[in-house]
Amino acid sequence: MPPPRLAGALAIWHGATRPRVVATLLGLAVILVADATPNGPLANLRNWVFDAYERSWPATRPEHRILIIDIDGDSIRHIGQWPWPRDQLARLVETAGAARVIGIDLLLTEPDRLAGSGHETDAILAASLRLVPVVLAAAADPSNELPSQPMPATTPVFEAGDDPRAAVPHYRSVAWPRAALADAASGTGLITVPPEADGVIRKMPTVVSVGSVLVPSFGVEIVRVASRSDWIRLRAEWAGGCELEIGGRVTHTDKAGGVWPRYPVSPAILSVPADRVLSGEVDRAIFRDRIVLIGASAPGLGDAFETPLQRLESGVLIQAQLVDSLLAGNVLWRPAFAPALERLLAALLGIIVALQFGRVRDRVYAVLSGGAGILLVAGSFGAFAAGGLLLDATLPVVALLGTNLILLAERTHQEIRTRRKRESELANALREAEARADAENARESLAIALDAAQMGMWDADLIRGTSRRSPRHDEIFGYPGPPPEWDHQTLLACVVAEDQDAVARSLEAGMETGTLHFQCRVRRPDGGLRSIVVDGRVYRAEDGTPIRIAGVVTDVTERRRIEGALHQTQRLQTVGTIAAGVAHNFNNLLTIVLGNLDLASRQGSNIERLPLYLAAATMAAERGANLTWQLLAFARQQPLRPEPIEPSRQLRDLSTLIGESFPPNIAIEIHIPPDLWVVEVDPSELQFTLLNLTFNARDAMPNGGVLRVSARNQAVQDDRLGLAGRYVAIEIADNGCGIPSEILPRVFEPFVTTKEVGAGTGLGLSQVHGFVHQSGGAVDLESEPGRGTTVRMHLPATAKAPTTAETSRGRKGGYRAMGTVLVVEDQPDLANLVGELFREWQLDIKVAHRASTALELLREGQKVDLVFSDIMMPGGMDGLELAEVMEKEFPEVPILLTSGYGDVTGNAVARGFHVVPKPYRMEELRMRLGGLLSTRST
């Protein structure tokens, strides 16, 4: 049976939960690993604590036993740039000749390059070194890249106990003083100090290993010479540290031979500038029986290092602090057993905390934990203040706090889990009760909502071929009774023939994407036609196989009827707007035409002004023709001459045109790839549309801006624009004034404009809209006031080869008209005008006022080379019917049709006949006639 105390401890251990024990052990392991990590967070924290010790209790050494001859910035300015000739250094040594020892913290590894011919400064310096005890400095190369140099005679460092070479700093490359100088000096020591991770000089080596030889550091060698000792001993202690013995002085070091100098709050080191020593301003008596160090602190010559007191000090001053600490026996000491003791204490604290956590009241436990932490910190500070011992309280305190945090987190986690479990059980019970009540309500509410929205629910099992439907579903489809087993064909059988392909594609797409949506018309068994919208989802098995499809169907027949009535109302409103705008514009244009013709017809009119009147009337008539053309484009009734073209060529021509004509304060950015797809459009209408858009963009930037013209190939599937397939997207964008939000929805309506009165007709965007839609595409517009406008046209791509440049040139070339033309026109005035034009071109003219009359003349054998006929003709036969009869009976006689009706000319163009729209200019008509007559003659 175990003793009572042991039994109590075991009971406490078993009372702790397994997660608590595991968490505590893992936390302690992480803390101990972090403590053993070099330059880790705990190592940095330890250094900070040791620095706090020194800042709180700095050393006080009133005796000024050490003096520095400082080569500072003033010395460099007065004596000259470094390096100085070494006879100057010899003068410093001779001046301080009464010193107990002189340490030169300067590297003298190379011959004096400033020595003149016949002036051996190194020999002068060597002679000075023989007169005074002097210690020279050597520097080790941690990278071992210096060339190998012979080692001069150094002070022997005797070993006692275990071999310390494995722990002390080891170097293979050392920059030694010149042999002549080293032989004349009393000793040589290394000034190299391995840096800390944060750059603070805390610990300095006393002995280093060069090859297999132990060499004293610079400060230790100065102490040896000052102590008049001939040897140095490094003794390894059994506890892991070392003792450094210099003559009769014993100093504790760590196992690597390092010591912590104790820096005073105000340096007890005197310093005099080197230039004052050389100029004789300093009394030589000041050097008597002192330890003198010669070093540099001038910027760029001597480095500055940070000390634990957060001060920057020169390297020679830090060496002086080390010498002063060694002479005073006032160095800091960290016992070799301290790390092991601190880790053991940290582990014990962690285990005690794990055993006691939760067994005493929280307030009492907090007081005990806080008191333990305060005792640890106070004890470590007290040990430092009393004997300069460096004991680290951070590791035990971190273990104490860390274990408490881990245990607190574990307890909080357990409490949260318990609370959540109870809340979950209660919530589940409430949910089950509410779910049962809500399920019935949901079924009733869903049925009511679907019925009110005229929506029917359906759920089809694709594996069994069965389905469940609501009564509204069967009512929409008009099933008199239960329909047959459901499948795709059952649904498609109800869809009208025109919509079956689209519905089949939607079903196939839904099986791929999992989402079903389509609109169609269905024929009910009683013959009624209904419009429906179907939305649903496809459910899949784990292997991805569709197993179920469910959704809703909505009867939108009445909605479609209301929408149609609304569209008809809007169409009538648009027609009224167009009629008012056309009347206004044509009245203005007719006033100009009639006024100028009236002026031209007066007998007293000046003959010199007659061409001006006629030109003004002609310009007004052309504006009227352009207005008519834009109206037809908006109505999508202007006759187009589509042909396969490469849009990149049109866009490049556009960029050249606007680049030459736009003002310089508008920057033009063109992004046109060379591999744009071929589109089939009317090239002249496309160019007119592009110019229309770019001029709108120019007008929107009166103070300058950026115009961007870009194009790209794009596969589009957009229900909003009604697009599906391959398109070439052309964008015209500007950063101008933008379009007000109240006008934006109506920008494509005729006579809607943002420009000032008289600056535009309001038909530009209407023409763009009509042309693009008549070409099978769509146009979209985005705009924000103050940010600019972007117009995006989608033109359908075609697989046809583009029209060659030769074909285009041939089509546009001029011809000389010759032959007999039969003019078929029911308006005598227009027939006379055309006759006058043709006679001016030296053509023979025959006139018929009815299409039937023209056909009789042809059948009688009248010689005719070409027929020029209006399409809209009275008398039972129109011009298009005449063209169809001539195509059969007189295929060798070409016919050129004309009309002012856009839908009529479009129908004629679609049937392959040549058409020139009214109004036409003389040059345009001459080119068309010449081309047809030349074709007949060949």
Side-chain angles (χ1 to χ4, degrees), residues 782-851:
E782 300 173 0
S783 184
E784 184 177 348
R787 299 291 296 274
T789 303
T790 299
V791 180
R792 188 177 300 106
M793 298 186 297
H794 292 88
L795 300 177
T798 181
K800 298 179 181 179
T803 303
T804 61
E806 288 76 6
T807 304
S808 300
R809 285 194 299 266
R811 185 177 301 153
K812 295 178 182 180
Y815 300 93
R816 182 176 178 181
M818 296 179 63
T820 302
V821 178
L822 174 58
V823 177
V824 185
E825 175 59 61
D826 61 306
Q827 296 291 332
D829 293 339
L830 187 55
N832 294 333
L833 174 63
V834 172
E836 290 295 328
L837 290 176
F838 288 1
R839 290 187 186 92
E840 191 171 314
W841 299 334
Q842 299 179 356
L843 292 172
D844 295 332
I845 303 302
K846 295 181 180 180
V847 178
H849 296 293
R850 294 288 186 272

Side-chain angles (χ1 to χ4, degrees), residues 121-326:
T121 55
D122 282 337
I124 296 173
L125 178 58
S128 300
L129 298 180
R130 292 187 180 94
L131 301 176
V132 186
V134 177
V135 176
L136 299 181
D141 179 20
S143 61
N144 296 318
E145 295 179 355
L146 289 175
S148 177
Q149 296 181 0
M151 180 186 301
T154 58
T155 302
V157 178
F158 298 100
E159 308 165 25
D162 296 334
D163 188 358
R165 289 177 177 81
V168 301
H170 182 78
Y171 302 104
R172 289 182 297 176
S173 300
V174 177
W176 299 102
R178 294 203 65 203
L181 300 177
D183 293 341
S186 300
T188 302
L190 266 69
I191 59 173
T192 304
V193 178
E196 297 274 354
D198 57 0
V200 178
I201 301 297
R202 296 185 182 88
K203 185 171 63 173
M204 300 179 67
T206 58
V207 176
V208 299
S209 174
V210 178
S212 61
V213 179
L214 294 178
V215 178
S217 68
F218 183 69
V220 170
E221 184 68 0
I222 291 176
V223 173
R224 179 195 69 79
V225 175
S227 302
R228 301 296 188 262
S229 175
D230 295 331
W231 53 270
I232 300 172
R233 178 182 289 113
L234 186 65
R235 181 189 304 276
E237 296 179 329
W238 64 270
C242 294
E243 284 186 352
L244 179 69
E245 186 177 354
I246 308 172
R249 301 177 187 275
V250 177
T251 303
H252 290 285
T253 71
D254 62 6
K255 63 181 180 179
V259 295
W260 284 264
R262 193 162 186 179
Y263 295 91
V265 62
S266 57
I269 311 295
L270 293 177
S271 177
V272 295
D275 61 325
R276 294 185 59 196
V277 175
L278 291 175
S279 64
E281 299 178 27
V282 178
D283 189 1
R284 295 192 178 200
I286 196 175
F287 303 109
R288 187 175 304 279
D289 203 31
R290 291 181 183 274
I291 297 174
V292 177
L293 272 67
I294 301 175
S297 66
L301 183 57
D303 295 330
F305 303 92
E306 185 178 357
T307 66
L309 300 183
Q310 296 181 339
R311 289 202 302 255
L312 291 178
E313 297 182 357
S314 63
V316 65
L317 181 56
I318 290 178
Q319 291 289 348
Q321 303 275 21
L322 173 62
V323 172
D324 199 20
S325 297
L326 291 174

Side-chain angles (χ1 to χ4, degrees), residues 90 594 617 683:
L594 294 174

